[in-house]
Amino acid sequence: MIKTYFKTAWRYLLNNKTTTLISIAGLAVGICCFLLLTTYLLNELRYDRFYPNADRIVRVGNNYKTINDNQETNSAVTPTAVVPVFKRQIAGIEDGVRIYNYSGYKPVTVQYKDDLFNEKKVLLADDSFFKIFGFKFLAGNAASALSTPGSLVLTASTAKKYFGNDNPVGKILKVNQTNNMMVTGVIEDVPAYSQIKFDMLGSYSMLDRSKVLKWDSGNDYSYFLLKPGAAATSVQQKMNLYLTDVLKSQQKPGRHAWFTLEKLTDVHLHSSLSNGLEPSGNIKYIYILSFVAVILLVLACINFLNLVTARAAERAHEIGVRKVMGAQRKQLFIQFITEAGLITLASLLIGLALAYLAFPAFSNFAGSQLGLSTWRFTWLAPLLSGLFITVTLLTGAYPALYLSAFKPVTNMKGHGSSKNGNLRKGLVVLQFVVSVFFIICTLIVGHQLRYIQSMDTGINRSQVLVMDIGGMPFNKIETFKNAISTQPGIKSTTASYDSPVQIKGGYTITQAEGKSPDYSLSITGIPVERGFVNTLGIKLLQGSDYTPADEKQVMTDTFANRKYSFIINETAARALGWKPEQAIGKRIGVNGRIGKVKAVTRDFNFASLHKSITPVVLFAEYDWFSKLLIKTSAGNLQNTLTGIKQTWKSFYPNTPFEAHFLDQEFDEMYQNEQRTGGILNIFTAVTVFISCLGLFGLAIFTTKQRFKEVSIRKVLGASVSNIVALVSSDFLKLVFTAIIIASPLAWYAMNRWLQDFAYRITLSWWIFVLSAVLTVLLAFITVSYQTLRAALINPVKGLRSE
Amino acid sequence: MLSLKNISKHYNVGGNKTFVLNKIDLDVDAGEFISIMGPSGSGKSTLLNIIGLLDEPSEGYHYFLGEAIHNLKEKQRSALYKSNIGFVFQAYHLIDELTVYENIETPLIYQDVKSSERKALVADILDRFQIVGKKDLFPAQLSGGQQQLVGIARALITKPKLLLADEPTGNLNSKQGEDIMELFRKLNKEDGVTIIQVTHSEKNAEFGSRIINLLDGKIDSSRNI
Ligand SMILES: Nc1ncnc2c1ncn2[C@@H]1O[C@H](COP(=O)(O)OP(=O)(O)OP(=O)(O)O)[C@@H](O)[C@H]1O
Ligand SMILES: [Mg+2]
């Protein structure tokens, strides 16, 4: 019996190659995309969940706002005192760890014998790290691995890189040319789906600040392991009580500060804190992509469904005969389900193969290594069988019910029912609604991303080379600057604390001329060298850049004696209540630095364009620079680069050369959007492909059904173009309906998306018109082959066939 | 074996009831070979379909093998049909996707007959109809007469007690038609199959034991031969 079902189904599918191929092609592509997307989603959702204590670990958020601030600052960077003090004070906390991103400002150089590497993922942590996070040790001892200053734990692949098959434990590595650190342990590689990623982890105690408990400064990430049963909310409450009661004296009036706790597993997708260890994902995109995955699958199923029901007329005869021969409805149902099952199975296998081939490219897009191996087998097997059953039922159940219910007598006369014509049309409209929606979204997202890239942010990013020089003494920087300034192709050079497109420093203006003594305004601040404004093309509205005299002042004197001079932006001046021209010469104090405002700049974007411009203060302070900014002239960039590199090598043979262009860094800030944009592009193409496939299939049958009508019309004198218009208009009507439904939906969705950007395009009508034209064109091309065939039919043949 | 009482069938056409069958009474005994005749549109096919349980009357009582059909559920009706009735059509109605062998085998499959038994039964009937050589061909590769032979073989494979044939020779030439009629007669005489056929040919009608004439949905005359 079963064998007969298979044989019949198999033969039927073979005899109807076009339908079968269209169904399989659509479904296979749909299934492939579904697999890619679900794998991506799985990877996002399993983030940080592998930590044995994941449900008890929380991350501390550092939040503050002064009465003069427009916005709260919510940062993941916390003061050094947080962990040691709260661990002692609050009963619900079992343990805590401070983590410092040692390679955050520039790669760490690590030397073993003659091998010299730039390490980009080096963290320092308190010795409780392994107790809290519980990585598996391959060598060494978890409890004592970080207990002495200068100890260093490597991941397995890092250990292999340095020591091959030798035992790494006890070996000495020279870090940043000065520190000798001893390897005390080797752990398994850190999974890509961990928010804490590192190749090397050193002891936090090597930092000077590890010994002092400061509440007003710090560069660390703080994690707590809560006691089993302890509620994060009550711990958070106690922390804030401590802040308001015990630390009252340290709080400036008008400045409100509070701590928040986030569950470890919420950090990746749900956090709104800035400056985290890695940029966080967005749960919104997870929802969107899940939706896309399901939609794609449904679209592909619709194709199959439509083709089967479109063929119902043809199959009516067969069904009638089978019923006369004694087939029961159940048996016919099984037969049609078997056909659907075979198609699904073939599509599933092809889809799997396609996904296997597409994974490497998709991984690039997604930014993490994905593959079928991302799945544990115990999950993949149910996924695939679930997919098989769902798709088979989705595609098979309706036609099987519908077809098996045919009455034998009416059907054998050859009149197929066309009752479900409306359903079929509805489904095609649905497919095109989704296609049009995606087309509009793709165009708008692309438009917005291009807008950001080409927007005038007030900084001239082009041809600015950024070198990582993390903390090099200024006299050394100056020698190097002087050496390259004579080279051709270099216009100007300057140094700064941060990258100018991502200025992070949170400072506070604590006094200002004419303001009350407890005045306070949160600002972003950055120490810069003379020439910063000029090198980056930042316009000055009032005042002038620093002079060599200003420079000398801050370089020679002690911190207490320095007379600072500040360059503030327009927004800062406004926040202080000054017009640009009034601001010049006013005295302000920034975290203990007292001095006068020297210039006011036109506003420039120094952070993500998701945020609008906030007050920023530049000040000449030459203690610590991490970036050297080199403005090069256009033309023969390669030579200029080689020149800089050679000079660097001759000065610092032991520090690898690290540089990138500012443009590039800027673009990378929108990686999340670029990535979503990229994924959107692919899936728009897939949606359109599947929908057109469905339309094509439908066109085959509709035109076949209309052969007789077309023949008669031709006999009556209709021209080819009359016929093409007649037949295509039916399809185009469906597409127009889809456009009318999809456009407002897309408008709404994209409007929401754009709200996330402080700087955004306005939604203009031409995007919608363009999408509509594009869709109609695609649909027309899709059906044109079939309509032309119908139009060119020999009328005599068409009439005889009836 | 079969009894129709007061059977009517009507359609609503443009609000008017048009009667296709009008109060038909008919009794058929086992072993009869009946030919139904009558002008086109007189309701012959409709009657045959009702007898064959493919269609339902609008009114009336229908008994078959002692069962009151009008009281049966779909499932029971289907079971009764499967094991007792075979149908042959003017247009053959073979399934294009299946070979001769498979076409004949299909009713057995629907009756859940075991594979080995099916093989024996189909081999037997192929042999009897002398179409063994054609068993792997598809319907499109056969002549009309051969197709009808397969159609009859398929109708007979389940050893039905009642064979219904709607113009079985309508698409065949007279020689082929005569062969089919000979076959029917033999089935009726030797195997005791009850046969009801619809035909337009006086000559073919003579093969039967009784001829019924339909006119405007009523039995106009009935004569035994
Ligand atoms: N679905 C229907 N709706 C309305 N009238 C119908 C329907 N089906 C059949 N009829 C009518 O029933 C009448 C009898 O049809 P039937 O097929 O039984 O005729 P017939 O005697 O077999 O004719 P023929 O010799 O041409 O095959 C015809 O007049 C036909 O128009
Ligand atoms: Mg008829």
Side-chain angles (χ1 to χ4, degrees):
Chain A
M1 193 79 187
I2 304 244
K3 211 179 108 201
T4 325
Y5 286 136
F6 273 110
K7 194 170 59 186
T8 324
W10 179 249
R11 210 176 279 155
Y12 178 78
L13 297 176
L14 273 190
N15 279 349
N16 297 282
K17 288 202 190 63
T18 328
T19 334
T20 308
L21 282 181
I22 291 178
S23 302
I24 290 182
L27 265 181
V29 171
I31 287 174
C32 165
C33 293
F34 184 82
L35 285 175
L36 294 180
L37 279 175
T38 45
T39 308
Y40 176 75
L41 293 173
L42 173 75
N43 189 56
E44 289 291 293
L45 293 175
R46 70 175 170 170
Y47 231 85
D48 295 321
R49 285 179 205 274
F50 67 95
Y51 286 112
N53 295 324
D55 54 335
R56 287 200 287 140
I57 304 175
V58 291
R59 185 176 78 165
V60 181
N62 183 18
N63 313 273
Y64 52 89
K65 183 177 187 295
T66 76
I67 43 168
N68 300 302
D69 296 343
N70 283 326
Q71 297 165 322
E72 298 175 354
T73 305
N74 313 103
S75 170
V77 176
T78 49
T80 42
V82 167
V83 167
V85 169
F86 287 135
K87 190 164 130 183
R88 236 182 11 241
Q89 296 288 335
I90 296 173
I93 298 175
E94 183 175 319
D95 211 338
V97 61
R98 291 171 292 186
I99 300 174
Y100 174 61
N101 186 0
Y102 198 42
S103 50
Y105 279 103
K106 68 155 207 164
V108 172
T109 61
V110 178
Q111 195 176 358
Y112 178 66
K113 292 185 178 158
D114 291 336
D115 291 335
L116 181 67
F117 292 102
N118 256 338
E119 292 297 341
K120 293 180 180 166
K121 287 195 252 170
V122 185
L123 300 179
L124 303 180
D126 285 322
D127 56 1
S128 49
F129 182 86
F130 291 109
K131 183 189 158 206
I132 293 174
F133 289 102
F135 285 98
K136 197 189 268 171
F137 271 70
L138 305 175
N141 180 342
S144 62
L146 293 174
S147 49
T148 46
S151 31
L152 192 64
V153 172
L154 309 184
T155 60
S157 48
T158 314
K160 188 143 185 93
K161 182 168 93 176
Y162 284 90
F163 307 111
N165 291 328
D166 295 352
N167 180 12
V169 176
K171 295 269 193 323
I172 304 290
L173 291 174
K174 197 172 206 174
V175 175
N176 278 346
Q177 285 142 40
T178 49
N179 302 319
N180 283 324
M181 297 186 79
M182 188 171 79
V183 179
T184 53
V186 177
I187 59 163
E188 299 183 314
D189 281 353
V190 183
Y193 43 95
S194 164
Q195 64 180 284
I196 300 167
K197 294 190 179 75
F198 59 92
D199 295 328
M200 296 180 168
L201 185 87
S203 167
Y204 185 82
S205 52
M206 74 182 277
L207 296 172
D208 293 339
R209 68 165 179 272
S210 67
K211 283 136 211 141
V212 278
L213 298 183
K214 286 187 112 181
W215 285 101
D216 58 351
S217 78
N219 292 292
D220 309 322
Y221 301 96
S222 301
Y223 291 84
F224 287 132
L225 176 67
L226 301 183
K227 290 213 174 102
T233 44
S234 88
V235 171
Q236 181 178 317
Q237 220 163 25
K238 285 179 193 144
M239 288 167 73
N240 287 323
L241 271 178
Y242 186 88
L243 200 62
T244 47
D245 295 352
V246 185
L247 298 176
K248 208 182 329 182
S249 58
Q250 303 215 12
Q251 296 281 339
K252 274 222 87 171
R255 183 180 191 269
H256 175 49
W258 68 100
F259 290 117
T260 47
L261 295 179
E262 293 172 308
K263 285 204 282 185
L264 181 75
T265 45
D266 281 349
V267 169
H268 180 60
L269 291 173
H270 297 273
S271 179
S272 56
L273 301 187
S274 54
N275 306 334
L277 265 170
E278 61 173 14
S280 46
N282 190 336
I283 190 71
K284 236 191 272 176
Y285 289 129
I286 299 295
Y287 293 142
I288 294 176
L289 291 179
S290 320
F291 180 70
V292 169
V294 172
I295 276 283
L296 275 174
L297 200 61
V298 169
L299 287 189
C301 290
I302 286 179
N303 265 357
F304 185 28
L305 207 64
N306 265 350
L307 289 176
V308 175
T309 51
R311 302 214 54 167
E314 283 175 38
R315 298 204 76 174
H317 174 255
E318 176 203 338
I319 294 159
V321 175
R322 282 185 186 275
K323 284 209 159 176
V324 169
M325 292 194 303
Q328 274 169 20
R329 194 162 171 190
K330 193 179 88 197
Q331 291 163 320
L332 288 176
F333 183 85
I334 296 176
Q335 186 192 332
F336 295 124
I337 279 284
T338 309
E339 277 169 28
L342 275 180
I343 294 246
T344 307
L345 190 65
S347 313
L348 197 64
L349 294 178
I350 297 173
L352 261 173
L354 285 178
Y356 181 78
L357 294 175
F359 263 122
F362 184 69
S363 297
N364 267 345
F365 258 117
S368 50
Q369 206 49 49
L370 299 176
L372 285 175
S373 54
T374 304
W375 295 84
R376 256 180 272 154
F377 180 74
T378 45
W379 290 13
L380 188 62
L383 175 85
L384 292 181
S385 27
L387 203 57
F388 174 73
I389 292 168
T390 316
V391 174
T392 304
L393 287 181
L394 269 179
T395 55
Y398 173 73
L401 279 175
Y402 169 76
L403 292 173
S404 63
F406 278 180
K407 286 250 178 318
V409 184
T410 33
N411 286 312
M412 282 162 62
K413 286 189 188 159
H415 302 301
S417 163
S418 58
K419 250 189 304 186
N420 58 358
N422 281 335
L423 173 78
R424 210 149 51 229
K425 281 180 191 161
L427 290 176
V428 171
V429 170
L430 179 68
Q431 286 187 317
F432 273 87
V433 166
V434 177
S435 301
V436 174
F437 181 87
F438 275 145
I439 291 177
I440 295 176
C441 292
T442 312
L443 289 176
I444 290 175
V445 170
H447 194 41
Q448 168 71 13
L449 292 181
R450 275 191 307 279
Y451 172 77
I452 285 179
Q453 272 158 18
S454 60
M455 184 181 127
D456 176 14
T457 60
I459 290 183
N460 188 353
R461 296 185 302 272
S462 71
Q463 252 112 31
V464 176
L465 192 70
V466 183
M467 277 182 62
D468 296 315
I469 48 164
M472 180 184 271
F474 186 70
N475 56 358
K476 281 190 164 184
I477 298 176
E478 202 165 30
T479 349
F480 178 69
K481 265 180 65 169
N482 290 338
I484 58 168
S485 63
T486 52
Q487 283 178 19
I490 291 181
K491 283 182 167 166
S492 67
T493 349
T494 188
S496 65
Y497 188 95
D498 264 335
S499 160
V501 292
Q502 310 188 60
I503 304 181
K504 293 190 190 107
Y507 291 79
T508 315
I509 295 184
T510 45
Q511 48 173 290
E513 207 173 311
K515 307 284 177 202
S516 74
D518 49 9
Y519 183 82
S520 146
L521 173 73
S522 300
I523 52 137
T524 305
I526 177 173
V528 298
E529 197 203 337
R530 181 164 63 92
F532 181 83
V533 170
N534 176 37
T535 303
L536 293 168
I538 297 170
K539 295 246 161 30
L540 293 182
L541 296 175
Q542 288 290 328
S544 55
D545 195 3
Y546 300 116
T547 59
D550 299 323
E551 190 168 69
K552 199 143 176 260
Q553 225 288 318
V554 291
M555 274 166 72
T556 50
D557 272 329
T558 56
F559 187 79
N561 287 334
R562 284 178 191 173
K563 288 196 196 70
Y564 277 88
S565 44
F566 300 101
I567 297 180
I568 65 176
N569 69 350
E570 227 181 319
T571 305
R574 203 177 311 121
L576 286 158
W578 299 330
K579 294 227 167 61
E581 59 274 18
Q582 295 170 328
I584 306 299
K586 289 269 192 336
R587 279 174 62 84
I588 56 170
V590 178
N591 294 50
R593 299 165 181 82
I594 313 292
K596 286 183 175 161
V597 175
K598 188 146 204 288
V600 177
T601 70
R602 207 186 83 183
D603 276 342
F604 61 94
N605 294 93
F606 55 85
S608 158
L609 296 180
H610 286 295
K611 304 199 183 93
S612 44
I613 294 172
T614 52
V616 71
V617 176
L618 319 177
F619 46 92
E621 184 177 89
Y622 286 37
D623 302 345
W624 205 90
F625 287 132
S626 79
K627 309 284 173 188
L628 189 63
L629 308 167
I630 305 169
K631 177 86 176 177
T632 60
S633 54
N636 220 341
L637 214 53
Q638 207 47 54
N639 275 356
T640 316
L641 261 176
T642 330
I644 298 173
K645 206 166 175 173
Q646 271 163 3
T647 316
W648 180 260
K649 277 255 169 68
S650 65
F651 272 68
Y652 309 108
N654 286 334
T655 312
F657 177 80
E658 285 284 338
H660 60 265
F661 281 97
L662 196 56
D663 268 346
Q664 207 179 316
E665 184 183 334
F666 180 82
D667 290 346
E668 275 166 16
M669 289 165 64
Y670 304 97
Q671 219 178 33
N672 233 334
E673 285 76 17
Q674 303 276 12
R675 205 171 277 165
T676 317
I679 291 180
L680 197 64
N681 279 343
I682 301 175
F683 293 114
T684 303
V686 171
T687 319
V688 171
F689 169 74
I690 291 178
S691 307
C692 285
L693 214 56
L695 194 63
F696 182 75
L698 208 58
I700 294 177
F701 293 106
T702 322
T703 46
K704 208 188 240 175
Q705 270 173 14
R706 295 183 73 167
F707 268 177
K708 188 176 175 199
E709 177 199 344
V710 168
S711 304
I712 296 172
R713 283 178 191 275
K714 285 199 85 173
V715 171
L716 297 178
S719 70
V720 170
S721 55
N722 289 149
I723 301 283
V724 168
L726 173 83
V727 181
S728 339
S729 68
D730 274 4
F731 297 113
L732 295 185
K733 258 183 239 157
L734 301 183
V735 175
F736 275 121
T737 314
I739 290 171
I740 288 165
I741 298 173
S743 298
L745 292 177
W747 182 85
Y748 175 76
M750 282 293 98
N751 215 16
R752 292 273 309 259
W753 182 74
L754 286 171
Q755 296 309 316
D756 276 356
F757 290 87
Y759 302 89
R760 53 180 181 256
I761 53 169
T762 45
L763 290 178
S764 43
W765 58 270
W766 66 261
I767 290 183
F768 293 87
V769 173
L770 182 65
S771 315
V773 170
L774 224 61
T775 316
V776 169
L777 209 66
L778 273 170
F780 186 77
I781 293 171
T782 305
V783 297
S784 63
Y785 171 69
Q786 290 301 326
T787 47
L788 263 180
R789 230 168 59 127
L792 294 173
I793 190 185
N794 175 352
V796 178
K797 219 168 131 197
L799 286 174
R800 199 189 293 143
S801 79
E802 257 302 292
Chain B
M1 91 175 319
L2 158 76
S3 166
L4 302 181
K5 294 265 174 291
N6 233 348
I7 290 285
S8 295
K9 175 86 181 172
H10 53 77
Y11 291 104
N12 278 323
V13 180
N16 293 329
K17 257 193 196 172
T18 50
F19 279 84
V20 175
L21 293 178
N22 203 344
K23 295 190 177 144
I24 298 262
D25 290 315
L26 176 66
D27 288 288
V28 178
D29 294 328
E32 278 199 276
F33 182 172
I34 298 178
S35 300
I36 301 176
M37 299 194 69
S40 193
S42 56
K44 304 183 296 292
S45 298
T46 311
L47 179 62
L48 206 64
N49 287 340
I50 287 176
I51 292 174
L53 312 185
L54 294 181
D55 204 354
E56 284 169 52
S58 314
E59 290 158 31
Y61 306 99
H62 181 186
Y63 304 91
F64 178 55
L65 294 176
E67 303 267 6
I69 302 297
H70 46 272
N71 288 335
L72 291 186
K73 294 213 182 68
E74 170 70 28
K75 210 165 182 176
Q76 298 164 307
R77 211 189 289 215
S78 167
L80 197 64
Y81 171 86
K82 271 204 294 201
S83 43
N84 294 302
I85 298 176
F87 239 106
V88 176
F89 303 93
Q90 175 178 1
Y92 325 131
H93 286 326
L94 301 178
I95 296 178
D96 294 335
E97 275 81 18
L98 302 183
T99 62
V100 166
Y101 183 96
E102 288 159 349
N103 259 291
I104 297 175
E105 186 191 24
T106 304
L108 294 176
I109 293 174
Y110 288 135
Q111 284 197 20
D112 291 328
V113 176
K114 274 205 230 60
S115 162
S116 53
E117 209 175 317
R118 289 204 305 262
K119 252 185 212 150
L121 285 168
V122 177
D124 198 41
I125 212 156
L126 285 170
D127 195 37
R128 206 166 119 203
F129 281 51
Q130 295 171 1
I131 44 176
V132 179
K134 307 270 185 262
K135 74 176 170 47
D136 291 325
L137 298 182
F138 286 92
Q141 299 166 309
L142 298 177
S143 77
Q146 289 166 336
Q147 286 189 49
Q148 193 57 296
L149 221 48
V150 174
I152 295 168
R154 190 179 65 178
L156 291 175
I157 189 74
T158 58
K159 303 216 164 68
K161 297 194 176 65
L162 176 63
L163 180 68
L164 302 173
D166 195 348
E167 301 183 42
T169 58
N171 282 358
L172 304 176
N173 64 33
S174 55
K175 169 75 180 67
Q176 287 171 323
E178 213 161 299
D179 288 347
I180 298 285
M181 282 304 117
E182 284 297 349
L183 180 63
F184 274 17
R185 172 182 277 163
K186 215 168 123 207
L187 283 169
N188 180 248
K189 289 265 144 50
E190 291 174 15
D191 301 307
V193 179
T194 312
I195 298 177
I196 305 178
Q197 69 162 346
V198 169
T199 180
H200 281 292
S201 143
E202 198 69 46
K203 198 167 140 228
N204 286 347
E206 303 280 339
F207 280 81
S209 55
R210 174 147 69 120
I211 296 178
I212 293 174
N213 255 304
L214 270 191
L215 193 62
D216 290 337
K218 285 187 176 143
I219 294 182
D220 187 49
S221 67
S222 168
R223 71 185 159 100
N224 289 323
I225 295 174

